[in-house]
DNA sequence: ACGTGCGACTCAGAAACCTATTA
DNA sequence: TTAATAGGTTTCTGAGTCGCACG
């Protein structure tokens, strides 16, 4: 036995446990067993993997007829689970988990395995750093900027006349390329993409205040050193919420109105505003709130009689706030205008920072107002009073020579620092979890954009290594060493299922897990090779997935779950995120668990997009896009609560479709009347779609009659005034001119189109009810894939990126249609 | 040398808000 | 035409990840 071996066993491996634990001896048998087991399950391409995922997560297949879909929706229970609010979805855990009896074998300990990882500390990849240009980051000179601006403006004018959309992609390509080489900036200004020009055009149209929109094209020359984030930084500091002003409404205690000092009243308000929501019913929330409420009372108003929550009546306050809400809603335009203006003024003042002489938008310049902490899931501290933040506890980070913003009157800043290795402008410590809150630049800022870009480049880098990494972990699934085997298994899940890393957490936060922190009870096995995941992940969102895994992985889980392990024990007891990430660094510089999520999301998206049909309609293309997006969202388990009136909404759309279908049927009947021979050529004419019941027709006719009557009445009103004789319904019928075949055909086609569009909408909507597409679009999908797709399929970028996304991804929209992630 | 907690950043869904559409 | 509603966008802030300093 080698030395390295020895040290491993001495430190933590199973040797001593083996002596008194027969179960673990079995473990080792398995390890041995599987070695001979030629488990050649190669890594499956993601495109295929996901289908596995799909078959379990989403139960609706595209092929299903819409009608059927809707019906199955309301009636069948097969997918009813997904209709529930996220938190309430029940596991279907009845499948008893069986632990297979492993064949008994002799224990053998081998040496070779241990060394492999240790020595595999091969030289890191340097591709990333190689890619870095030597060109230092340059500040775009002001004069040039203004010049650019002028040019843009003239170009805009030209552009308006031309309105050429199709040229965008090509232009964009050339531009980026040229830009990379050029050293002087002159050419660059001409390289403005038409897309950008358009964007500006639009904003110009809206507001002139867009003058400062001189885009800093940081992506033209990459930064050398990214530990220094800025050289000069100016800003106005954060904006503080107004001090509390008492409203004088009294809550009741034991039925009696009670006087509270403003400090106490404010806290009472917080709870009053939560009544009627889930928060108000949450026992932990109540408990924590009341505890803090009493604390404030004791301090500010010791003689206050409030002692028990049950005796409190907050409803007068609640009513007051609903009233206020209604009042605000009922405000006149002018009043609203005034408020809007005030808001705008605050934004103008605090919403901008000067970073290296460039004007950049500040993201969250408002200090969080006091309130009750809304911890998600079963957060033990939910409901706790979050204190008001005063300038004294705020640290300002600003340039050395910049003017320090004035703190609110009568206050001082806690600290002023000049740290240009960080990107925050202000910071304070929050009292509930003792964590930090920061004021940052907005998502569209250069700083955020650059790190976003880096993130996706890192994920693309992983693409080059993923083959090797998969090979390696597949091998290591059979490793003799428990720690290695666990690491490989965890990585397998992270890669195939896009699980989060799963740091350890304290017990003063909600009990949620990620991959490394999975526990015994979160994973169940179902022979022959099905693994069922059921746990609460980030934000206490339930992750439920049944996955078929390779034999080896199945076997491994069996081993990891073997007694004496029991509920509450870690599944990967020899693993944590630090170990995992340290290992990953060896395969690729900067590689961590979360990169897999980005990589797999973007890659999946790219693959899914290939299903777009070239000559389909815009709606169909967009549906294809959304479908791809949805696949990613499903992969990443991005969920949202199903809206209460979801089924109502579906019914309404379905009703519309039926109406259109019936109308089309009526038109087709007229067509046949005009030309009965048509029936032969187009047998679909005069055929009533199924789903149109007698009741439907009846109610349709009734509605039509109502409409006609209404119109008649209106017409007659007029006629009365004009002194003409009044008409009847029959007159109206007669007055209808005979439709020509051409007109009918046109009507028919229009209706057909409308039906199709509505059906597309319906499918999209239904498939989307519990899936949140936004998160993956904003954070995981390389925007360049989307941009390239737009160019390739001739879809205007505005269709898929709204204004803020276009702003956030301005660095990305210049790719050409051949961009490959 | 290693575990731990701090610090800074990304990612997350809900809620508020704003705007276009429809009754 | 207006008010209600739906749908999209923005804001808000909580919840993760991960590197690193520190003891």
């Amino acid at each position: 036995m080698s030395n390295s071996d020895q040290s491993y066993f001495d430190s933590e491996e199973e040797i001593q446990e083996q002596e008194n634990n027969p179960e673990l001896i079995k473990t080792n048998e398995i390890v041995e067993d599987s070695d001979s087991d030629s488990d050649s399950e190669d890594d499956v391409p993601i495109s295929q993997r996901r289908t596995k995922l799909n078959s379990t997560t989403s139960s609706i297949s595209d092929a299903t007829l819409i009608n059927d879909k809707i019906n199955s929706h309301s009636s069948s229970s097969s997918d009813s689970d997904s209709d529930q609010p996220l938190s309430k979805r029940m596991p279907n855990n009845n499948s008893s988990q069986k632990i297979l009896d492993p064949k008994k074998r002799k224990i053998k300990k081998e040496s070779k395995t241990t060394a492999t990882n240790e020595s595999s500390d091969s030289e890191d990849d340097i591709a990333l750093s190689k890619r870095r240009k030597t060109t230092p980051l340059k500040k775009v000179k002001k004069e040039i900027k203004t010049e650019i601006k002028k040019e843009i403006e003239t170009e805009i004018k030209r552009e308006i006349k031309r309105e050429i959309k199709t040229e965008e992609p090509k232009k964009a390509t050339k531009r980026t390329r040229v830009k990379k080489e050029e050293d002087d900036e002159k050419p660059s200004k001409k390289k403005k993409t038409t897309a950008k020009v358009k964007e500006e055009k639009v904003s110009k149209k809206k507001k002139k205040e867009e003058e400062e929109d001189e885009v800093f094209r940081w992506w033209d020359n990459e930064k050398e050193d990214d530990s220094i984030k800025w050289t000069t930084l100016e800003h106005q500091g954060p904006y503080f919420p107004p001090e509390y002003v008492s409203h004088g409404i009294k809550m009741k205690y034991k039925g009696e109105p009670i006087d509270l000092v403003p400090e106490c009243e404010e806290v009472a308000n917080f709870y009053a505003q939560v009544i009627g929501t889930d928060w108000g019913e949450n026992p932990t929330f109540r408990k924590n709130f009341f505890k803090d409420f009493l604390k404030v009372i004791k301090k500010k108003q010791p003689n206050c009689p409030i002692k028990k929550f049950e005796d409190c009546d907050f409803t007068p306050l609640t009513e007051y706030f609903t009233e206020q809400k209604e009042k605000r809603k009922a405000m006149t335009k002018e009043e609203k205008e005034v408020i809007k203006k005030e808001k705008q003024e605050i934004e103008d003042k605090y919403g901008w920072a000067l970073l290296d002489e460039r004007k950049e938008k500040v993201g969250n310049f408002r200090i969080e107002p006091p309130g009750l902490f809304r911890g998600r899931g079963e957060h033990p501290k939910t409901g706790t009073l979050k204190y008001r933040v005063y300038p004294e506890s705020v640290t300002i980070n600003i340039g050395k020579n910049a003017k320090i913003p004035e703190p609110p009157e009568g206050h001082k800043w806690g600290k002023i620092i000049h740290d240009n290795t960080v990107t925050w402008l202000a910071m304070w410590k929050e009292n509930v979890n003792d964590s930090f809150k920061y004021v940052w630049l907005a998502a569209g800022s250069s700083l955020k954009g650059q790190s976003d870009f880096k993130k996706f480049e890192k994920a693309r880098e992983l693409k080059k290594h993923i083959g090797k990494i998969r090979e390696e972990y597949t091998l290591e699934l059979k490793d003799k060493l428990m720690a290695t085997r666990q690491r490989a298994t965890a990585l397998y899940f992270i890669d195939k299922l896009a699980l989060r890393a799963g740091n350890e957490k304290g017990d003063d936060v909600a009990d949620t897990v990620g991959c490394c922190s999975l526990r015994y009870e979160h994973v169940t096995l179902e022979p022959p090779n099905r693994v069922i995941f059921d746990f609460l992940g980030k934000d206490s969102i339930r992750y439920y997935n049944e996955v078929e895994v390779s034999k080896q992985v199945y076997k491994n889980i069996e081993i990891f779950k073997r007694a004496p392990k029991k509920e509450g024990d870690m599944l990967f007891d020899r693993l944590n995120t630090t170990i995992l990430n340290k290992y990953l660094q060896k395969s690729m510089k900067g590689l961590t668990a979360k990169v897999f999520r980005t990589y797999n999301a973007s890659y999946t998206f790219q693959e899914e997009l290939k299903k777009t049909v070239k000559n389909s309609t815009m709606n169909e293309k967009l549906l294809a896009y959304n479908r791809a997006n949805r696949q990613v969202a499903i992969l990443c388990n991005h969920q949202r609560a199903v809206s209460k009136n979801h089924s109502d909404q579906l019914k309404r759309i379905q009703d519309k479709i039926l109406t259109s279908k019936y109308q089309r049927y009526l038109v087709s009947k007229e067509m046949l009347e005009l030309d009965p021979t048509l029936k032969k050529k187009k047998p679909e004419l005069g055929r009533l779609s199924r789903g149109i019941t007698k009741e439907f027709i009846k109610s349709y006719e009734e509605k039509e009659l109502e409409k006609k009557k209404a119109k008649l009445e209106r017409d007659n009103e007029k006629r009365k005034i004009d002194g003409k004789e009044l008409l009847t319904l029959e007159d109206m019928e007669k007055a209808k001119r005979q439709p020509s075949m051409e007109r009918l055909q046109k009507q028919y086609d229009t209706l057909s189109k409308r039906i199709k569009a509505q059906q597309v909408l319906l499918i999209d909507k239904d498939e989307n009810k519990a899936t949140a597409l936004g998160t993956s679009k904003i954070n995981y999908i390389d925007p360049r894939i989307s941009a390239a797709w737009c160019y390739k399929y001739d879809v205007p970028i505005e269709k898929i990126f709204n204004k803020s996304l276009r702003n956030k991804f301005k660095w990305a929209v210049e790719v050409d249609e051949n961009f490959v992630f």
Side-chain angles (χ1 to χ4, degrees), chain A residues 112-128:
Chain A
K112 65 164 196 225
T113 44
T114 48
T116 44
N117 311 328
E118 290 190 327
S119 58
S120 72
D121 203 2
S122 60
E123 199 18 67
D124 285 333
D125 232 292
I126 45 161
L128 240 186

Side-chain angles (χ1 to χ4, degrees), chain A residues 33 41 118 165 197 249 270 328 334 405-406 440 456 569 681 708 738 741 744 772 801:
Chain A
D33 183 338
E41 158 94 12
E118 290 190 327
K165 277 181 195 166
V197 172
I249 309 289
F270 294 148
R328 223 176 321 135
E334 291 73 35
E406 283 297 316
W440 272 303
F456 288 115
D569 290 341
K681 274 185 270 174
K708 273 183 197 158
Q738 269 305 316
M741 184 53 95
L744 286 173
F801 287 161

Side-chain angles (χ1 to χ4, degrees), chain A residues 95 178 194 303 310 400 447 496 509 661 673 712 734:
Chain A
S95 49
V178 176
T194 30
N303 56 352
E310 290 70 32
K400 270 214 170 77
L447 281 178
K496 304 236 166 190
V509 288
K661 276 188 175 170
E673 258 168 48
L712 188 71
K734 273 186 221 157

Side-chain angles (χ1 to χ4, degrees), chain A residues 548-671:
Chain A
E548 307 206 335
V549 300
S550 71
K551 275 183 267 169
Q552 190 57 51
V553 169
Y554 188 86
K555 217 173 265 180
N556 284 353
I557 301 294
E558 248 176 354
I559 296 166
F560 304 155
K561 286 195 73 172
R562 186 162 297 157
K565 264 200 209 170
K566 54 178 191 309
E567 281 199 12
D569 290 341
M570 299 287 284
L571 183 68
F572 301 117
D573 51 317
R574 312 277 160 107
L575 185 69
N576 62 38
T577 53
T578 314
I579 296 172
L580 181 64
N581 282 336
K582 271 214 178 108
Y583 163 76
L584 290 173
Q585 304 284 330
K586 290 179 196 164
S587 302
M588 184 190 122
K589 193 183 164 198
L591 183 61
T592 61
K594 87 191 260 285
V595 181
F596 282 84
R597 243 167 109 81
T598 313
Y599 165 74
N600 276 322
S602 286
Y603 185 78
T604 303
F605 185 69
Q606 183 171 274
E607 292 304 301
E608 283 294 313
L609 272 189
K610 289 179 181 162
K611 292 181 185 165
T612 317
V613 181
K614 190 98 199 181
N615 291 317
S616 53
T617 67
M618 186 61 74
N619 276 343
E620 285 165 334
K621 285 182 206 167
L622 290 174
L623 179 64
Y625 183 91
N626 282 333
R627 282 220 172 118
N629 195 166
R630 183 156 43 239
Q631 292 311 323
V632 177
I634 289 168
L635 175 72
C636 295
N637 200 38
H638 291 143
Q639 300 192 20
R640 59 172 187 176
V642 177
S643 78
K644 293 153 257 145
N645 49 6
H646 175 76
S647 63
D648 285 357
Q649 289 173 1
L650 286 193
K651 270 192 200 119
R652 216 169 300 145
I653 300 175
Q654 207 192 10
D655 222 56
K656 272 188 196 166
I657 294 176
L658 283 184
T659 305
S660 301
K661 276 188 175 170
Y662 185 62
Q663 284 171 345
R664 188 174 65 177
Y665 161 79
L666 291 178
V667 170
S668 77
K669 263 201 358 198
E670 280 191 71
M671 287 164 80

